[in-house]
Amino acid sequence: MVLRKLFTIDSNTNGKGPVLSAWQPEGTYFACVGANRRVTICDRQGKTVHQVPLSGQSPPLAIEWDH
């Protein structure tokens, strides 16, 4: 399998520290969340299409797409 870089997401998007990420099962969208506790959804070109702030104070433990 050949991997190619589609886009880069910098620390301004997720904050500094570990980042959780997941591709949508169809491969159309990419979601990530980091220290800033804001889920960012991007298209395949890396353009942000939606952001969702998480409630609570605990760090996120996992990220998954729900059909």
Side-chain angles (χ1 to χ4, degrees):
M1 175 168 69
V2 177
L3 299 177
R4 65 184 175 108
K5 185 176 181 176
L6 296 176
F7 56 87
T8 301
I9 298 176
D10 63 20
S11 63
N12 292 329
T13 302
N14 293 304
K16 295 185 179 185
V19 174
L20 301 171
S21 63
W23 278 100
Q24 182 185 30
E26 292 79 22
T28 305
Y29 295 104
F30 177 80
C32 57
V33 62
N36 66 3
R37 304 184 38 72
R38 187 174 54 223
V39 177
T40 302
I41 301 173
C42 302
D43 63 14
R44 290 183 62 82
Q45 287 71 44
K47 180 182 174 200
T48 299
V49 294
H50 196 64
Q51 288 188 327
V52 181
L54 297 178
S55 60
Q57 299 299 316
S58 301
L61 301 176
I63 188 168
E64 271 187 48
W65 285 92
D66 184 4
H67 294 279

